[in-house]
Amino acid sequence: SESNDGSAMIINSLSYFRSHWTVWTILGMVHKKVYWQKLYLLYSLMVFLLVTIGYPLHLGMSVFQNATLADDLKNLTTFVTCLACSIKISIYAYNFSKVDEMQELLKLLDSRVSGDDETFIYSQLKAQLRNILIIFISFYIPIGIFAEMSFIYQEGRGLMYPAWFPLDWRNSTRNYYIANIYQIVGVSYQLMQNYVSDCYPAVMLCIISSHTKMLHKRFEKIGIKDADDAANQRELEDCITDHKRLIELFRKMEAFMSLPMLIQIAVTALSICVSFAGFLFFVTEPMNRAYFFFYGLAMPLQIFPTCYYGTDTELWFGEIHYAAFSCGWTNQSRSFKRKLMLFVECSLKQSTAMAGGMVRIHVATFFSVLKFAYSLFTILLRMR
């Protein structure tokens, strides 16, 4: 296929997951694609024990046991987020075989992309996925900067995040450096875990949505040109097969992200509430205030791309039967019409991604989370 500037466009949706595979490899989740499997298995175990379990544990041991209320709030928000991150990445690691299955389905769908309309839709993917990446980077960087700044400008010895250590870091320079190096390295791994946990579902749903739009165009073209009935029936059958593959890909993705998304939705409401309560009422130090402000903004942005493309995917799946009736079916054979009618009846079933089988992965859910966070905030105000 050709792009608008005349250059050949390579249709390869798997290329958009290169950064995810790099991060998964660093996190010790890619066991079948490495040479030194025993050494890599040992590395994976160390990451799991020291970061996935150890990092939220060392934060949790210090909850509400810090010197100041500001430290308690910072410790609480970080602990809740890191605990959720560790649980999510553990669930993803357990279901990681689904990633290979989804990639095989994507290859089959990519092979069907043809024509100017479809390649134009595919070319828009790059801009959409770049926007997703910008959203995640835009809240990771300020949080990291202000967490580091509040650490640098604090009086006396302290940690980046209030936490418990078995070492006496207050009275030993060596232990102080060990504790801070652990926190810096640990939070870097946690950020990578958060990146793949929250970015991968958004990217996959974005790609599914684009492939559904392309299938929409494919259906509309059937029977428009003067082609024989056999050719039109083959194209209809191919489009029906594409739809089945898209639904299968969508269901696998839904199963893959269902429980982690439910956890993230629950944690988001609590974190927004606590962060803005700390920012407005309990924290006076400028760097800490900036940290809580950007933290409160970042939490809803973690779920927004996934909710947005969950809505977009649901919308385009709901439009497929209209596309099927837009084709040139009136001049086709009875066999063609019968197949088309059966497909339309089957495609009327709504395809909605659910988190934990209970909550829609939808923009409406995103706003419900904001409303729930505000309700918690008003309860805190009355208690105060």
Side-chain angles (χ1 to χ4, degrees):
S1 55
E2 301 287 324
S3 61
N4 290 337
D5 60 0
S7 59
M9 176 179 288
I10 299 171
I11 307 298
N12 181 18
S13 298
L14 304 189
S15 64
Y16 296 119
F17 299 104
R18 285 171 186 162
S19 64
H20 299 92
W21 279 105
T22 301
V23 173
W24 279 326
T25 304
I26 295 170
L27 294 176
M29 295 173 64
V30 186
H31 297 280
K32 295 179 180 179
K33 300 180 185 293
V34 293
Y35 293 108
W36 303 92
Q37 290 199 359
K38 290 184 179 179
L39 190 63
Y40 187 74
L41 185 62
L42 179 63
Y43 168 76
S44 302
L45 185 62
M46 288 178 62
V47 171
F48 179 73
L49 293 175
L50 294 176
V51 178
T52 307
I53 293 179
Y55 207 82
L57 180 65
H58 98 292
L59 293 168
M61 294 284 284
S62 182
V63 170
F64 300 123
Q65 296 181 18
N66 301 287
T68 64
L69 182 58
D71 282 346
D72 278 339
L73 290 174
K74 193 173 184 180
N75 175 235
L76 176 63
T77 53
T78 311
F79 166 66
V80 169
T81 304
C82 289
L83 179 63
C85 176
S86 293
I87 295 172
K88 287 189 300 177
I89 203 68
S90 299
I91 295 169
Y92 281 132
Y94 180 76
N95 294 318
F96 199 69
S97 60
K98 286 186 172 68
V99 174
D100 290 327
E101 295 170 10
M102 288 187 285
Q103 291 207 331
E104 290 303 315
L105 287 168
L106 271 180
K107 288 178 185 176
L108 294 171
L109 290 168
D110 284 349
S111 66
R112 289 277 293 148
V113 178
S114 63
D116 292 337
D117 292 339
E118 293 177 40
T119 50
F120 176 72
I121 293 169
Y122 191 86
S123 67
Q124 292 179 312
L125 255 182
K126 191 173 183 180
Q128 291 174 313
L129 298 178
R130 184 176 63 244
N131 291 337
I132 292 173
L133 187 61
I134 289 170
I135 287 173
F136 282 99
I137 291 175
S138 66
F139 68 74
Y140 281 148
I141 291 177
I143 289 174
I145 289 172
F146 287 109
E148 186 66 31
M149 294 292 281
S150 62
F151 165 68
I152 291 171
Y153 287 105
Q154 66 187 341
E155 296 179 3
R157 280 186 175 177
L159 300 172
M160 184 183 291
Y161 301 108
W164 173 86
F165 275 97
L167 308 172
D168 182 13
W169 56 269
R170 287 185 174 85
N171 300 312
S172 169
T173 302
R174 183 195 63 184
N175 293 342
Y176 173 71
Y177 284 122
I178 290 172
N180 276 287
I181 289 169
Y182 174 76
Q183 286 208 327
I184 292 168
V185 174
V187 79
S188 299
Y189 272 83
Q190 285 270 309
L191 284 172
M192 286 189 285
Q193 289 178 345
N194 248 331
Y195 170 71
V196 289
S197 297
D198 299 326
C199 187
Y200 182 81
V203 171
M204 182 60 84
L205 287 174
C206 179
I207 292 173
I208 292 172
S209 173
S210 293
H211 272 290
T212 310
K213 291 176 193 175
M214 289 184 272
L215 180 59
H216 194 281
K217 295 290 184 184
R218 223 169 286 152
F219 265 115
E220 288 179 335
K221 293 176 184 176
I222 300 174
I224 300 300
K225 294 181 180 179
D226 293 329
D228 62 89
D229 182 69
N232 288 329
Q233 287 209 51
R234 279 197 302 272
E235 183 58 27
L236 175 64
E237 289 167 3
D238 288 341
C239 286
I240 292 171
T241 302
D242 292 339
H243 185 260
K244 286 180 181 177
R245 287 169 178 164
L246 269 171
I247 292 293
E248 185 182 358
L249 177 61
F250 178 74
R251 291 305 172 201
K252 284 184 184 294
M253 188 61 231
E254 181 189 21
F256 188 63
M257 68 178 175
S258 176
L259 191 53
M261 272 302 295
L262 182 65
I263 293 167
Q264 186 59 47
I265 287 168
V267 167
T268 296
L270 177 63
S271 297
I272 294 171
C273 173
V274 175
S275 297
F276 280 108
F279 169 74
L280 293 172
F281 304 117
F282 302 115
V283 180
T284 56
E285 199 275 322
M287 291 302 173
N288 273 329
R289 290 197 77 194
Y291 170 81
F292 279 110
F293 176 75
F294 280 103
Y295 198 91
L297 289 180
M299 292 310 294
L301 289 176
Q302 276 190 276
I303 63 170
F304 177 74
T306 306
C307 289
Y308 176 83
Y309 285 109
T311 307
D312 199 46
T313 303
E314 180 183 332
L315 172 68
W316 282 104
F317 272 130
E319 293 289 320
I320 286 292
H321 60 277
Y322 291 115
F325 266 128
S326 298
C327 74
W329 61 273
T330 53
N331 299 322
Q332 306 303 315
S333 65
R334 176 177 286 185
S335 174
F336 180 97
K337 292 175 183 176
R338 186 164 55 245
K339 289 175 183 177
L340 184 67
M341 288 180 65
L342 284 171
F343 168 75
V344 168
E345 286 296 323
C346 293
S347 66
L348 289 174
K349 185 179 179 182
Q350 191 175 27
S351 297
T352 305
M354 302 294 288
M358 296 181 288
V359 181
R360 292 168 72 198
I361 300 175
H362 195 275
V363 170
T365 302
F366 172 78
F367 287 109
S368 297
V369 168
L370 297 184
K371 289 176 185 176
F372 181 61
Y374 179 73
S375 300
L376 288 177
F377 184 73
T378 55
I379 292 170
L380 274 181
L381 282 181
R382 290 177 184 176
M383 290 173 65
R384 182 171 174 270

